[in-house]
Amino acid sequence: MTAFVPLSDAFAADPYPSYAALREQEGLHYYKDFDVWLVSRFAEVQAIAMDKRLVRSLDGLVPPDEIAAQKRAGNWHDMPHHARFVQFSMLDSDGPVHDRLRAQVFKLFTPVMVDGLRSSIEATIDRLMDELADRREVDFIEDLAARVPGHIIGRLLGVPDQDCPKLRRWSEDIVQYFDIDRSDARKALAEAATTEFYDYLCRLKAEKRRQPQPDLISALIAAEQAGHLTEDEFISTCMLILMAGHGSTIDVLGSGLHALLRFPDQMARLRAEPGLIRTAVPEMFRFESPLPFFHRYATAETMIAGHTFPRGTKFGLLYGAANRDPAQFDQPDRFEVGRHPNRHLAFGGGAHFCLGNHLARLDMEVIFSSLLRRFPRIELVEPPIYKRGLSVRGPKSLRIAVAGL
Ligand code: HEM
């Protein structure tokens, strides 16, 4: 097989030929740079995600000094706040700890609860669309997509509107450090953002303790007071919710619009049948999964695709590759707004299945419905450049020419 180089510009431009080659090679590939076995076929990726014997955290699997050595090797050490609140979270815990943390916020993410945010999401989008109405050309990422999720997640958490722009900077500075560039400069930014966010959450918590509101922070305060989570877990849960949902929503908004522009027949179909937004949005997640790679460790000897792997093996679940597997999806490289059924893995599966999936879908439905209604003409000004890396997928910018009603 041709070399698998996920940090290259060619992979950023189009990772799907590389994913197809991986799937054809028994769907398994050892990627030395990350010391990980990449799994690319839908059936195996789904099976691993659903299997509780495959976990997110190395705790208990290898001795603590080995974990510390691995952190040093990844320049993931000497970051006191980052270590306390970002490196530990619900997402990186397993078993009873994970179940306890997830239970504290689960009920706030149900479809009914999320639908309660609809009118506030619509108002935010309407205001942003009004600002675009007189423009001929916009960068869809900077002028619209990047301005949405910070506000929505801020509302959910209970952050006052005027503070929401800060959430965006904190989230970007923290999340960028998960990716390719692990320089000391980026490390300092990630630690500083974690510290500022921590201080901010402590102040907000003190206010909400005096005056509880119907929001996530107040619910978590009550859970902490009832002894269901510790002070550090309170902070790490708030941070995770912001980080998990911020960049991913921006990325899929960009790639979703780019898909509509690359498949004009599908854009025309969605304009003609607006009700198809319910299937178009899941298709955007399948077609360009914004978080294409997550890891698991084997807690016992594990058999994958006929091969046996020892306890402690690290697997990379390529959700982005699984979602283009022809064994699961008819014509997987075709973007079909009416695709149904569409059981994609963009939100993972099993114990860590994305908590924010209803919210992410609602944001997308509101934005795309409004965009298509308000702008009868939307054209690409230049082909977008996609971000480099294995863990994220989305355009850096998306310049479009628009004409309103
Ligand atoms: C917009 C696109 C989004 C995508 C593609 C996405 C994808 C994912 C995936 C794949 C996982 C599972 C990780 C794994 O398998 O190890 C996950 C977990 C999670 N997501 Fe999302 N997510 C999105 C948006 C959101 C939003 C908006 C929120 C919250 C506001 C959110 C909150 C979470 C949380 C808290 C977890 C951890 C759940 C756990 O460990 O039990 N996500 N997400």
Side-chain angles (χ1 to χ4, degrees):
M1 152 188 162
T2 48
F4 179 71
V5 192
L7 305 186
S8 64
D9 289 339
F11 187 84
D14 185 3
Y16 299 104
S18 299
Y19 285 154
L22 291 184
R23 281 193 309 267
E24 278 152 25
Q25 292 257 314
E26 296 187 325
L28 279 173
H29 174 77
Y30 180 65
Y31 180 49
K32 196 159 87 16
D33 295 17
F34 285 14
D35 185 19
V36 70
W37 279 92
L38 296 175
V39 186
S40 50
R41 290 185 187 162
F42 186 95
E44 278 116 23
V45 172
Q46 186 183 44
I48 295 179
M50 303 302 287
D51 189 337
K52 288 201 164 181
R53 290 168 306 170
L54 287 126
V55 299
R56 290 270 315 168
S57 165
L58 263 184
D59 290 342
L61 273 178
V62 298
D65 54 341
E66 201 177 305
I67 297 181
Q70 282 190 18
K71 284 192 175 174
R72 269 195 305 282
N75 202 13
W76 203 240
H77 61 304
D78 289 344
M79 310 176 74
H81 286 110
H82 194 270
R84 259 171 83 190
F85 305 124
V86 179
Q87 294 176 28
F88 169 79
S89 73
M90 173 198 321
L91 180 58
D92 281 304
S93 59
D94 301 287
V97 174
H98 170 263
D99 296 347
R100 174 174 56 77
L101 293 176
R102 190 169 164 108
Q104 306 316 315
V105 285
F106 183 76
K107 38 190 181 304
L108 294 154
F109 284 98
T110 59
V112 173
M113 289 302 285
V114 166
D115 219 51
L117 289 169
R118 183 183 282 272
S119 58
S120 129
I121 298 176
E122 284 171 347
T124 304
I125 305 300
D126 266 351
R127 184 173 48 75
L128 291 171
M129 292 283 177
D130 286 345
E131 287 175 26
L132 298 187
D134 297 330
R135 309 256 309 263
R136 292 263 173 281
E137 201 181 299
V138 294
D139 175 0
F140 178 71
I141 299 294
E142 198 47 44
D143 297 326
L144 193 81
R147 298 169 69 187
V148 177
H151 268 275
I152 310 300
I153 298 172
R155 286 267 164 83
L156 179 82
L157 286 170
V159 168
D161 270 358
Q162 70 272 18
D163 293 340
C164 289
K166 286 196 266 202
L167 298 183
R168 177 181 171 194
R169 183 171 61 77
W170 290 329
S171 141
E172 283 172 3
D173 284 350
I174 297 171
V175 169
Q176 274 171 13
Y177 198 61
F178 281 97
D179 216 346
I180 319 164
D181 180 355
R182 292 279 182 85
S183 64
D184 286 340
R186 283 241 196 256
K187 179 175 177 170
L189 277 181
E191 176 63 10
T194 314
T195 307
E196 279 177 43
F197 194 9
Y198 167 57
D199 291 340
Y200 177 82
L201 284 170
C202 290
R203 285 197 302 277
L204 195 59
K205 188 179 173 189
E207 278 170 33
K208 304 250 177 203
R209 198 179 276 135
R210 284 192 297 275
Q211 266 187 322
Q213 307 284 323
D215 58 39
L216 202 141
I217 290 185
S218 302
L220 286 178
I221 291 173
E224 189 188 325
Q225 283 168 341
H228 298 315
L229 81 176
T230 66
E231 256 182 272
D232 280 14
E233 287 169 347
F234 170 94
I235 301 287
S236 77
T237 302
C238 293
M239 288 194 182
L240 172 68
I241 283 166
L242 172 65
M243 288 177 316
H246 191 264
S248 50
T249 305
I250 299 172
D251 286 344
V252 71
L253 281 166
S255 61
L257 179 57
H258 188 208
L260 285 172
L261 290 162
R262 274 186 292 162
F263 292 84
D265 62 320
Q266 297 301 304
M267 169 102 86
R269 190 168 174 213
L270 186 55
R271 283 189 188 282
E273 298 173 67
L276 282 180
I277 194 70
R278 303 304 297 267
T279 47
V281 165
E283 177 68 345
M284 290 174 187
F285 280 101
R286 181 197 70 84
F287 194 69
E288 293 282 14
S289 309
L291 297 173
F293 167 92
F294 280 89
H295 74 265
R296 293 290 186 276
Y297 297 102
T299 57
E301 195 175 82
T302 302
M303 174 89 99
I304 310 280
H307 297 269
T308 306
F309 295 91
R311 180 175 189 268
T313 303
K314 185 176 185 182
F315 293 103
L317 307 188
L318 293 177
Y319 294 139
N323 283 338
R324 296 283 192 110
D325 187 343
Q328 175 70 16
F329 300 99
D330 186 34
Q331 292 195 290
D333 295 326
R334 168 125 183 104
F335 175 75
E336 285 282 355
V337 293
R339 191 181 286 275
H340 185 76
N342 190 350
R343 292 196 190 86
H344 64 76
L345 290 172
F347 294 118
H352 293 279
F353 183 70
C354 177
L355 265 180
N357 73 91
H358 299 301
L359 182 60
R361 279 187 304 206
L362 179 60
D363 284 351
M364 300 273 288
E365 282 182 24
V366 172
I367 292 176
F368 281 106
S369 299
S370 167
L371 190 74
L372 296 184
R373 206 172 46 241
R374 286 202 178 203
F375 297 102
R377 189 176 72 84
I378 306 173
E379 283 165 15
L380 199 56
V381 172
E382 61 193 5
I385 295 176
Y386 276 66
K387 295 174 183 172
R388 282 199 302 144
L390 191 56
S391 324
V392 291
R393 173 96 188 129
K396 292 184 195 174
S397 67
L398 188 66
R399 299 210 65 79
I400 50 170
V402 288
L405 288 170

